[in-house]
Amino acid sequence: MNREISVNVHHLTRVEGHGNIVVDVRNGELKTCELQIVETPRFFEAMLRGRAYLESSHITSRICGICAVGHATASLRATEKALGVTPSPQTVALRKLNFHGEILDSHVLHVYMLVAPDFLGVGSVIPLARTAPNVVLRALRMKKLAGDLCKVISGRHTHPISMTVGGFTSFPKMGDLEELHQRLIAVRSDVDATVELYRTLPLPQFERDTEFVALHKPDEYCFIDGVIKSSDGYEYPIEAYRDITNETIVPHSSAKHTRHKRESYMVGALARFNVNYAQLHPRAKQAAALLGIQPKISKPYYNSAAQVVEIVHCVEDAIQLVEQLLTQGVRYEPPAAPTRFSGEGVGAADVPRGTLFHNYVIEDGKVVGANCIIPTGQNLANIEADMRALVPTLLARTQAEITHALEMLVRAYDPCISCSTHLLDVRFEG
Amino acid sequence: MTTLLNETLKESIYMPTPARITAVKTFTPTEKFFKIALPSGFSLAHRPGQFVEVSVFGVGEAPISICSAPSRSNGTFEMCVRAVGKLTDALHRLAAGSTIAIRGPFGRGFPIERFRGKDIIFVAGGLGLAPLRSLIDEVINDRGKFGRIHLLYGTRTPQDILFAEDLVAWANAPRTEVHITVDRPDEAWKGNVGVITKLFPKLRFHARNTVAIIVGPPVMYKFVLMELLGKGIADGNIWLSFERQMKCAVGKCGHCQLHHIYTCQDGPAFSYAQVKHLEEAFS
Amino acid sequence: MSAKTLPRIAFFEFTSCEGCQLTVVDTLQDHPELLNAVEIVQFREAMSERGDNYQIAFIEGSCTRPSDEAKLKEIRAKAQIVVALGACAHLGGVNAIRNRMALPEVREYVYGEKAAWFETYPARPIEAVIKVDASLPGCPIDRNEFAMAVTHLLQGRLPNLPDYPLCIECKLLENVCMYQRGKTCLGPITRAGCAAICPSYGDGCEGCRGLIPKPNWAAMKAVLREHGMTDAEIDSRLTMFLTYQTMQLEAKAAEG
Amino acid sequence: MSLRIMPKSLLKTWIKHLQSRHFKVVGPTERFGQYVFEEIHSADELVMDYPTSVLPPKKYLLPPRERLFTFNAKTMEMQPDIQAVPTVILGVHTCDMHAVAMLDKVNNTGYADQHYKARREATYLVSVECLTPCMEGSFCKSMGTLTVPENYDLHFTDLGSDYAVEVGSEKGAALLEGCSAFWEPSEADYARVDAVIGAKWQHFPYRLECDVTELPDLLALSQKSPLWDELGERCLACGMCTKVCPTCYCFDVTDEIDLNLEHGERIRQWDSCQIEKFAVVAGGHNFRSSRALRQRHRFMRKGKYQYEAFGLMGCVGCGRCAASCLVHITPVDTFNALHRLRQAAQNGSAAENTASNQEVQA
Ligand SMILES: Cc1cc2nc3c(=O)[nH]c(=O)nc-3n(C[C@H](O)[C@H](O)[C@H](O)COP(=O)(O)OP(=O)(O)OC[C@H]3O[C@@H](n4cnc5c(N)ncnc54)[C@H](O)[C@@H]3O)c2cc1C
Ligand code: SF4
Ligand code: SF4
Ligand code: SF4
């Protein structure tokens, strides 16, 4: 088939940040297939240098408004490892709980407000407020709970306040935790309804085998710390993150690309699901069964389904964590102090969109070197590989359909472009 | 039975009463004139120089002088408003028929009974003519009880002149002189040019039997006072009206405090004798 | 009310984390009626439709490269009212930290020898490029303040937001002062309006809402010094969000 | 007035008793090494021998933020919001009791403030005798506020294992009703109370170098003192001094309305004379345009204006502002500095003459 395709989607919508997709098919042959990150570069690594170690987490949370807690967590872990700080069990529990708030917040945003409109034939969630108010109100309710959870633990979700090196600067009140507990129990019906909704959405079946990478712990579904584990069987300590990320710079993107042994790998909800299925809460496994997914699943559009499974997991795990805090009580604890003021550390967290690394070198309490590796950056090469595999299967469709399929593909990854520096724009050049 | 508007403060001194704008007239690009009707059965019963607190719900409240004479206010009153901020801008957006809310009247007005039989010099700068208008009208309505009347009025430009019709009417009243001056004339302007104190040489009065009432922007007071005192008018015969921020008008919010005086309750009209020694009065 | 009479608003973002727009989405949780009060014609982060017929433009993010300027001017030309949304747009935000650094070196640190591929210049608030009618301060903006600003716009006026110092708000909430907890805080020179959220959660104010109209700069520095900060630490604290404003003040001072 | 004795161990019982009678019970509790008045859920939270609180108990009479009335902007319906929950405030220091007297005066002068009054009437003040100085910056003894004024309902004196409880009003007596924790005093108990109170005075220093009665005149003569400029240089204009002051009551009034522009409320919120816009009027004229003038206004109110307006001092010597001020501007230092400048001028001391001459000339 001698098809010429020239699609130009400038500034992909319903994703965080700016990006273009450039696909160029001539005489039926795929010439170019790029996900261009046209976001302005942000230079966070450079800006951290010279600043007091206590400021790092507050500055780097500003990398991204959606995974601000994730950035703060990875940043704090990097600093703590560099300075020999061991957070208390209470700090670990509070951080986990806060993290669940963010995963919930981000996943609800993504599955309801960014992805669902594609399947319901609308351009955004706004018309749904009139046609399906229950769905929208449910999403808002879940998102509010997620946000309030973060508020109780760290002041707010976007740019958390009380998370600091070694612990927290404020602590939830028992009354707040009790209220959260009730609301988390009550939200289960909304969670079930979310699973039901995703059972009915016709997620595209496109499939391509790839490597999945996530943080891993044997005894819990891992979001913070652990080891780096790949579906191809590799395992690395977090400190060896460069062995898996191998960052390179490509001209069409202000975000760096990464590759491990294959041409690309995937991180994010689907990767965590594939790598850590065994550690999921039983109710989350049930949800997976209802959604008809089990590891290893290589259908990128199903990243949204994996997010729904994680919503179930996080709600259940949050309930357990709150119960644990309620029984043990929350003590006012001054943050654990550094044991040294110079050192290097790598912090890792599996944020909503995948594995995030912060690596700092600190001298005399000041950051002198910083490197942040962001999930979407790690996914970019994999998205392009998917696009290269997908486009040839779509050549029979109209250009509008092809464009839409590609947009949905990119969106399924829930890319966070301001994180990876910012920007995504699908352009099919002719 | 009529209810005095300030009796409505019995429940809460902060809660106003709805009132209706019955007419709006544009004086200048920044000043508008409003006629307000109270709900039937209510009367304002104010004294010249008193003010009301005007609310536009959702925007806020501000003190505005009553510019109509008590003798002409019967369940209605008038005000002239310059748009300078939240509330005053909001008023300017309202048309006749809109509802606002009113508290008051507040403060002490001018002691008009003490002006009887005296010559009167009114000195108004800009919007200062608004509060003075209720007093001037009251005096003119009762013309026989007062001596000679001089009105000195200064504005920035001829376009800024307020109450043009009233100025003509006053000028035509017996033994009443109106002198207007502008800072910046236009081609059509044939009148006086310059600061208001330049008008004083035109006046002939017996200092001992003269009262002067000054209302204008803060900067004006100092120079006009010097002029009047220099002409021998006694401290106690010079009256002024003070503007301060007022958030409550009932002596609680502290904004209008001038030394030990609450401008909203003890003023806004004062004799110079009352305030001359107060450090902050003319600062 | 028919949809036609609703004010049409659009959201745009430049260099930022999109946290302020996310806060706008979060505002719906407490104010779902927002969707009936305005017509959103463009909001790339949340919707595919792209309308160019807007009256009010909310702009998030700093201007950090020459090519942003044309787009900003285009928005200005189309909108009757332009509102800067959040610290990046209002002050340059964290993006401006690098303004005190040597830019080529900054670029090279992140992108190595490929640095030249990436267009950039010192980060600026959008007011440095186009006229801004109002700013919603904060990093991120406060959702209640956003709702309040919208009500003011619906009333046909520009948002009226506090510009008194944060300490006022902090003390209304009866927080124990950070200085009495052995920490430092920029509350005395920073604009209120965030419900003193940082001190309320145990952290000193970082100045994300910008300076009050006449900050007593020298006294603030003296206080920080008295509480054990070195001059370098003070500079770093004052430049987390205030780099652009402080550099402007310095430039003004240098002029005399 | 009558005296009762309550063993300290029964404080708990009494608090429970009050709560069972649906009183809201508030008192000083610890927060990050400072103390705040908060609702007491169990007597363990209560700290009766606290030094001072961040905000004075004034916050229960004049809340930092209060809804005055609600309105419907479309129908113009309005509803005043006058809320008065019967509240017992435990552990009020005598300086703060004097400050309440001041607030009562302001709110009952001219038009009485119904919002304040309703709350004041529902409030039961349980004061406590101060036996040791609470803070470096407090100067209650100088200001004459180290004894309780007449406005208490109950007044506690710490006798070691017991509290002496003086009943000052019928409201106070009502608080004791139905509770067996209060015993009739013996002769020895009266003596114990007198001994404790008699012994306390020597622990408190006079910190003002002039007598409190001289303050209004001192300030009147200090309108043009160069000291104000000096304070203005240092002051951050942060407003904390006025926020924490038990006798400051200035407020701002604003409207809030929903996005449908229909239902709204009028709010009052504590304001501060130290902030830039406090005295700005239309046209932009600011009657107190500099920090120096605003500091002057603050201290004039404290030592002169309020006294002249209401017959009570605008400062009760609690020392909160001194403790809060990051640049160490304090009433004691300010009044003493003015006093010394005056004295120097009067003594004609050559060195300091210059300063006071400037003062007179400026
Ligand atoms: C007794 C009395 C009588 C009055 N009578 C009248 C009258 O008859 N007609 C009339 O038009 N007005 C009158 N005024 C003035 C009127 O009350 C004020 O103009 C009004 O309160 C302004 O309120 P607003 O909400 O419109 O402005 P706001 O938005 O509250 O602004 C208040 C004023 O502060 C100033 N301001 C705001 N921001 C700044 C800033 N950043 N720097 C410097 N200044 C600033 C503005 O100039 C503005 O005028 C009277 C005032 C008093 C006290
Ligand atoms: S914590 Fe900060 S904002 Fe609060 S009072 Fe202290 S200095 Fe002011
Ligand atoms: S607390 Fe101190 S610095 Fe702040 S306004 Fe008061 S005097 Fe000035
Ligand atoms: S001025 Fe200071 S010392 Fe005096 S009552 Fe107020 S806070 Fe206390």
Side-chain angles (χ1 to χ4, degrees):
Chain A
M1 189 166 43
N2 285 350
R3 258 203 91 174
E4 307 272 315
I5 297 179
S6 153
V7 179
N8 185 342
V9 181
H10 191 67
H11 287 198
L12 187 58
T13 60
R14 275 184 283 129
V15 295
E16 204 277 355
H18 297 100
N20 306 332
I21 301 169
V22 182
V23 174
D24 176 16
V25 180
R26 276 190 215 166
N27 290 330
E29 194 191 327
L30 185 60
K31 295 271 186 203
T32 317
C33 189
E34 285 176 359
L35 172 57
Q36 298 187 334
I37 300 303
V38 295
E39 188 75 8
T40 52
R42 311 265 331 261
F43 304 113
F44 272 94
E45 289 108 322
M47 294 193 299
L48 278 182
R49 287 177 308 155
R51 304 199 77 93
Y53 73 90
L54 281 168
E55 290 175 356
S56 305
S57 67
H58 283 210
I59 292 177
T60 54
S61 88
R62 268 77 187 187
I63 293 176
C64 173
I66 299 184
C67 35
V69 168
H71 275 284
T73 308
S75 172
L76 292 175
R77 292 302 296 133
T79 305
E80 286 165 359
K81 287 186 184 173
L83 304 185
V85 180
T86 315
S88 72
Q90 177 176 290
T91 296
V92 171
L94 288 172
R95 281 188 186 160
K96 244 189 250 178
L97 187 54
N98 207 25
F99 212 92
H100 287 340
E102 173 156 290
I103 297 269
L104 279 175
D105 191 276
S106 176
H107 283 0
V108 170
L109 177 76
H110 190 243
V111 301
Y112 275 99
M113 302 186 181
L114 308 185
V115 168
D118 279 327
F119 296 100
L120 303 172
V122 287
S124 80
V125 76
I126 294 171
L128 293 180
R130 289 192 190 91
T131 57
N134 289 340
V135 176
V136 175
L137 288 176
R138 187 199 307 146
L140 290 175
R141 205 160 48 224
M142 293 172 76
K143 206 164 171 310
K144 182 166 170 57
L145 173 58
D148 289 350
L149 197 168
C150 292
K151 181 177 172 177
V152 165
I153 310 294
S154 64
R156 66 186 168 206
H157 163 237
T158 298
H159 311 329
I161 294 158
S162 63
M163 301 175 74
T164 191
V165 176
F168 284 84
T169 58
S170 80
F171 296 88
K173 296 205 179 78
M174 282 295 138
D176 293 336
L177 287 176
E178 275 156 21
E179 192 200 318
L180 267 185
H181 186 248
Q182 283 168 14
R183 287 174 65 192
L184 282 163
I185 301 277
V187 89
R188 275 180 174 149
S189 60
D190 288 341
V191 172
D192 293 344
T194 308
V195 176
E196 273 313 302
L197 173 70
Y198 264 77
R199 274 180 73 172
T200 65
L201 298 185
L203 297 177
Q205 297 297 319
F206 168 73
E207 189 164 359
R208 185 184 67 86
D209 187 48
T210 190
E211 181 181 6
F212 293 94
V213 173
L215 295 179
H216 169 80
K217 277 183 186 171
D219 52 349
E220 67 179 55
Y221 191 82
C222 182
F223 288 110
I224 306 170
D225 297 338
V227 296
I228 307 165
K229 190 173 171 183
S230 131
S231 59
D232 288 355
Y234 300 96
E235 212 174 282
Y236 300 93
I238 284 169
E239 284 66 27
Y241 73 95
R242 287 180 204 269
D243 290 345
I244 201 144
T245 60
N246 303 304
E247 273 196 313
T248 53
I249 297 177
V250 290
H252 61 268
S253 161
S254 48
K256 299 171 184 178
H257 277 208
T258 59
R259 62 192 302 175
H260 181 224
K261 306 275 180 197
R262 305 200 203 188
E263 64 172 336
S264 68
Y265 64 87
M266 178 175 182
V267 294
L270 195 60
R272 287 190 292 262
F273 177 83
N274 280 333
V275 173
N276 294 323
Y277 176 83
Q279 286 78 18
L280 276 172
H281 189 278
R283 274 183 63 111
K285 286 183 182 160
Q286 271 171 27
L290 283 172
L291 293 167
I293 56 173
Q294 54 182 325
K296 174 188 174 189
I297 168 165
S298 304
K299 300 173 178 173
Y301 287 97
Y302 273 71
N303 192 44
S304 309
Q307 289 178 327
V308 172
V309 171
E310 286 190 338
I311 288 176
V312 181
H313 175 85
C314 288
V315 166
E316 294 305 323
D317 203 44
I319 291 174
Q320 285 181 4
L321 282 164
V322 172
E323 284 171 356
Q324 177 197 323
L325 289 167
L326 280 171
T327 11
Q328 289 171 1
V330 178
R331 275 164 302 120
Y332 170 78
E333 275 181 351
T339 56
R340 54 177 179 266
F341 285 96
S342 298
E344 175 170 0
V346 182
D350 233 295
V351 301
R353 288 151 195 81
T355 317
L356 165 69
F357 302 98
H358 281 221
N359 180 5
Y360 303 150
V361 180
I362 299 173
E363 271 172 26
D364 293 329
K366 295 219 167 13
V367 180
V368 295
N371 188 25
C372 304
I373 298 200
I374 271 90
T376 297
Q378 297 171 67
N379 276 336
L380 290 175
N382 206 59
I383 297 174
E384 286 185 357
D386 277 350
M387 281 164 46
R388 278 194 296 277
L390 178 64
V391 171
T393 71
L394 299 176
L395 293 182
R397 310 249 200 108
T398 67
Q399 189 149 300
E401 285 170 340
I402 299 172
T403 307
H404 193 226
L406 285 167
E407 279 185 311
M408 280 172 63
L409 173 72
V410 176
R411 212 173 273 136
Y413 276 81
D414 192 5
C416 182
I417 300 173
S418 42
C419 260
S420 46
T421 184
H422 235 31
L423 201 73
L424 177 67
D425 186 278
V426 190
R427 227 160 52 218
F428 284 35
E429 278 175 352
Chain B
M1 267 282 293
T2 56
T3 313
L4 295 183
L5 188 67
N6 64 10
E7 287 172 24
T8 61
L9 301 176
K10 272 190 190 127
E11 212 175 350
S12 163
I13 50 176
Y14 303 107
M15 211 171 71
T17 301
R20 212 158 41 90
I21 300 178
T22 57
V24 182
K25 207 153 70 179
T26 301
F27 276 169
T28 76
T30 50
E31 276 111 357
K32 281 187 179 181
F33 173 82
F34 297 86
K35 263 181 141 62
I36 311 293
L38 298 175
S40 67
F42 281 91
S43 96
L44 198 55
H46 70 287
R47 293 170 65 85
Q50 281 193 305
F51 65 98
V52 286
E53 283 280 344
V54 180
S55 283
V56 174
F57 282 159
V59 177
E61 199 178 43
I64 301 291
S65 306
I66 302 156
C67 74
S68 47
S71 52
R72 291 203 188 160
S73 308
N74 179 21
T76 66
F77 68 96
E78 292 159 3
M79 52 192 202
C80 174
V81 178
R82 175 181 291 170
V84 297
K86 297 184 294 283
L87 190 277
T88 47
D89 288 347
L91 278 177
H92 272 236
R93 288 192 293 268
L94 296 180
S98 309
T99 312
I100 55 174
I102 302 290
R103 282 192 302 142
F106 292 118
R108 290 194 196 147
F110 296 104
I112 188 167
E113 56 294 332
R114 287 171 59 177
F115 305 160
R116 297 236 167 97
K118 302 214 162 132
D119 290 351
I120 304 179
I121 304 174
F122 293 107
V123 186
L127 192 56
L129 188 58
L132 268 187
R133 179 178 176 258
S134 66
L135 180 62
I136 300 172
D137 254 355
E138 195 75 355
V139 166
I140 302 243
N141 289 345
D142 219 354
R143 189 65 197 85
K145 297 211 172 100
F146 302 87
R148 264 178 307 174
I149 296 173
H150 305 273
L151 167 60
L152 313 185
Y153 179 37
T155 68
R156 269 166 306 174
T157 72
Q159 282 72 44
D160 293 321
I161 293 175
L162 305 171
F163 299 106
E165 290 168 23
D166 295 285
L167 289 166
V168 172
W170 294 331
N172 289 332
R175 291 189 305 138
T176 306
E177 284 175 32
V178 174
H179 303 281
I180 304 176
T181 181
V182 302
D183 293 342
R184 280 175 279 124
D186 57 13
E187 277 120 60
W189 181 252
K190 303 253 161 26
N192 306 297
V193 174
V195 292
I196 200 156
T197 41
K198 282 204 178 165
L199 297 175
F200 279 90
K202 295 182 193 285
L203 307 185
R204 270 159 294 110
F205 55 85
H206 286 296
R208 194 183 302 284
N209 195 42
T210 298
V211 293
I213 301 123
I214 322 170
V215 190
V219 285
M220 194 187 85
Y221 286 117
K222 217 168 161 175
F223 298 103
V224 173
L225 279 166
M226 259 188 330
E227 202 68 43
L228 294 168
L229 295 167
K231 292 261 167 25
I233 300 184
D235 291 349
N237 282 337
I238 301 176
W239 290 80
L240 349 94
S241 181
F242 277 166
E243 184 185 351
R244 290 293 186 275
Q245 249 188 64
M246 289 175 188
K247 302 294 183 179
C248 73
V250 285
K252 306 285 177 274
C253 79
H255 279 83
C256 73
Q257 189 170 1
L258 168 62
H259 293 233
H260 58 286
I261 288 171
Y262 274 78
T263 310
C264 67
Q265 290 203 302
D266 307 327
F270 295 99
S271 76
Y272 182 59
Q274 281 174 287
V275 294
K276 65 173 180 183
H277 55 285
L278 303 183
E279 194 65 39
E280 285 195 341
F282 303 99
S283 71
Chain C
M1 219 191 291
S2 87
K4 271 213 178 105
T5 64
L6 298 180
R8 291 181 305 279
I9 70 176
F11 291 86
F12 300 93
E13 67 287 314
F14 291 83
T15 303
S16 67
C17 76
E18 297 195 11
C20 290
Q21 291 185 79
L22 186 68
T23 306
V24 169
V25 175
D26 286 347
T27 306
L28 292 175
Q29 296 162 13
D30 298 321
H31 302 280
E33 73 274 17
L34 180 64
L35 291 181
N36 303 323
V38 295
E39 186 188 346
I40 302 175
V41 300
Q42 194 175 146
F43 195 162
R44 192 201 46 75
E45 192 185 30
M47 60 191 266
S48 292
E49 292 85 351
R50 228 174 263 180
D52 263 340
N53 181 15
Y54 45 85
Q55 293 152 318
I56 305 170
F58 286 95
I59 304 182
E60 186 194 277
S62 319
C63 181
T64 63
R65 55 183 173 186
S67 58
D68 287 343
E69 292 189 11
K71 177 70 189 166
L72 278 167
K73 285 175 183 152
E74 182 195 323
I75 297 168
R76 179 69 264 186
K78 284 184 182 148
Q80 286 154 29
I81 293 172
V82 170
V83 184
L85 200 61
C88 295
H90 171 218
L91 306 169
V94 286
N95 302 309
I97 291 176
R98 68 171 194 261
N99 291 9
R100 285 199 187 266
M101 305 175 163
L103 210 53
E105 197 267 335
V106 165
R107 249 200 282 193
E108 217 176 287
Y109 185 75
V110 180
Y111 293 105
E113 65 218 38
K114 313 277 170 58
W117 292 352
F118 302 101
E119 178 205 5
T120 192
Y121 66 12
R124 293 187 297 164
I126 56 174
E127 201 169 25
V129 182
I130 56 170
K131 176 176 169 277
V132 169
D133 299 293
S135 295
L136 297 191
C139 181
I141 57 164
D142 177 274
R143 68 174 85 155
N144 294 324
E145 199 173 56
F146 173 74
M148 185 167 84
V150 173
T151 60
H152 292 179
L153 289 166
L154 290 171
Q155 287 171 330
R157 58 176 168 139
L158 292 174
N160 195 275
L161 308 177
D163 63 0
Y164 47 76
L166 188 67
C167 294
I168 298 271
E169 215 170 28
C170 188
K171 284 277 97 49
L172 292 178
L173 297 164
E174 203 169 6
N175 288 323
V176 172
C177 182
M178 284 298 117
Y179 286 93
Q180 284 172 328
R181 289 176 63 180
K183 303 182 186 191
T184 55
C185 179
L186 297 184
I189 54 167
T190 303
R191 278 177 68 173
C194 56
I197 190 166
C198 289
S200 299
Y201 283 90
D203 193 40
C205 169
E206 294 166 336
C208 77
R209 297 176 58 85
L211 297 171
I212 55 169
K214 291 184 189 163
N216 190 342
W217 200 240
M220 185 77 250
K221 284 191 178 178
V223 168
L224 294 172
R225 236 174 264 130
E226 184 188 324
H227 286 81
M229 287 176 84
T230 63
D231 284 355
E233 283 165 348
I234 292 171
D235 283 344
S236 128
R237 190 63 174 279
L238 292 177
T239 54
M240 205 146 149
F241 290 99
L242 300 171
T243 314
Y244 189 83
Q245 276 192 309
T246 53
M247 287 175 82
Q248 295 277 100
L249 285 176
E250 283 166 12
K252 229 185 248 164
E255 274 170 29
Chain D
M1 193 206 80
S2 61
L3 186 70
R4 294 284 179 281
I5 298 294
M6 175 171 73
K8 278 187 177 169
S9 57
L10 293 182
L11 183 60
K12 228 180 202 147
T13 316
W14 182 51
I15 291 174
K16 278 217 185 90
H17 173 75
L18 291 174
Q19 283 165 336
S20 72
R21 288 170 61 194
H22 307 294
F23 283 107
K24 178 174 165 187
V25 179
V26 303
T29 61
E30 202 258 4
R31 189 188 287 175
F32 300 113
Q34 305 281 315
Y35 296 84
V36 298
F37 279 86
E38 251 187 322
E39 182 156 9
I40 302 293
H41 299 286
S42 95
D44 306 334
E45 298 161 2
L46 184 69
V47 186
M48 284 292 270
D49 56 351
Y50 69 109
T52 187
S53 57
V54 178
L55 290 185
K58 167 185 89 176
K59 67 179 182 180
Y60 293 108
L61 301 172
L62 190 68
R65 200 180 146 80
E66 176 188 5
R67 186 159 72 186
L68 294 171
F69 62 90
T70 55
F71 56 77
N72 182 317
K74 296 200 170 130
T75 64
M76 296 304 281
E77 281 161 293
M78 302 166 225
Q79 192 61 47
D81 192 351
I82 296 182
Q83 307 236 348
V85 183
T87 301
V88 179
I89 309 183
L90 299 179
V92 183
H93 282 171
T94 54
C95 57
D96 288 340
M97 294 297 289
H98 283 269
V100 171
M102 170 83 195
L103 297 178
D104 285 350
K105 199 76 183 236
V106 172
N107 283 289
N108 286 310
T109 299
Y111 287 100
D113 183 310
Q114 300 92 339
H115 304 256
Y116 176 90
K117 259 184 109 156
R119 263 189 308 265
R120 179 66 180 88
E121 277 159 18
T123 301
Y124 297 70
L125 295 171
V126 180
S127 51
V128 57
E129 188 78 21
C130 296
L131 299 178
T132 47
C134 56
M135 283 192 303
E136 207 192 315
S138 53
F139 53 113
C140 42
K141 189 172 174 184
S142 300
M143 295 306 288
T145 58
L146 188 47
T147 53
V148 72
E150 298 282 88
N151 57 356
Y152 65 91
D153 296 308
L154 295 176
H155 181 70
F156 278 38
T157 305
D158 189 335
L159 302 179
S161 55
D162 305 319
Y163 285 116
V165 180
E166 279 162 83
V167 182
S169 70
E170 284 175 18
K171 274 165 80 179
L175 293 180
L176 307 187
E177 270 165 29
C179 182
S180 53
F182 300 89
W183 305 345
E184 286 294 331
S186 65
E187 276 310 309
D189 287 328
Y190 283 101
R192 276 208 292 167
V193 178
D194 289 351
V196 166
I197 294 178
K200 82 172 201 180
W201 291 88
Q202 60 182 357
H203 302 305
F204 292 81
Y206 279 109
R207 303 197 63 228
L208 277 188
E209 291 165 12
C210 63
D211 193 80
V212 59
T213 54
E214 294 170 44
L215 279 181
D217 287 346
L218 172 63
L219 285 164
L221 293 167
S222 305
Q223 285 282 4
K224 294 188 170 152
S225 172
L227 184 72
W228 308 123
D229 288 331
E230 204 185 292
L231 298 188
E233 278 287 302
R234 272 157 66 195
C235 173
L236 292 157
C238 71
M240 257 201 272
C241 49
T242 54
K243 297 291 94 174
V244 300
C245 178
T247 62
C248 278
Y249 50 78
C250 295
F251 58 82
D252 190 12
V253 177
T254 51
D255 278 11
E256 287 183 3
I257 192 160
D258 66 0
L259 284 158
N260 300 323
L261 304 185
E262 189 169 353
H263 298 282
E265 50 195 44
R266 185 154 290 170
I267 305 282
R268 77 162 143 197
Q269 181 175 305
W270 291 355
D271 204 343
S272 168
C273 62
Q274 295 307 299
I275 65 178
E276 180 75 23
K277 294 248 179 89
F278 189 85
V280 173
V281 295
H285 184 76
N286 190 345
F287 285 93
R288 283 176 221 113
S289 53
S290 68
R291 292 190 296 265
L293 290 176
R294 298 198 290 273
Q295 279 293 309
R296 179 179 76 178
H297 179 70
R298 170 188 165 209
F299 285 112
M300 289 287 165
R301 277 183 112 242
K302 296 301 159 200
K304 171 176 156 68
Y305 298 165
Q306 298 313 82
Y307 178 73
E308 290 165 350
F310 300 105
L312 293 171
M313 264 311 177
C315 170
V316 294
C318 73
R320 284 187 180 89
C321 59
S324 306
C325 180
L326 296 171
V327 298
H328 316 297
I329 295 175
T330 77
V332 169
D333 292 346
T334 303
F335 294 145
N336 284 346
L338 293 174
H339 176 67
R340 278 180 221 163
L341 284 169
R342 264 329 303 156
Q343 281 198 318
Q346 279 163 3
N347 297 345
S349 129
E352 281 163 277
N353 223 349
T354 350
S356 56
N357 271 349
Q358 279 168 358
E359 193 180 331
V360 173
Q361 285 161 10

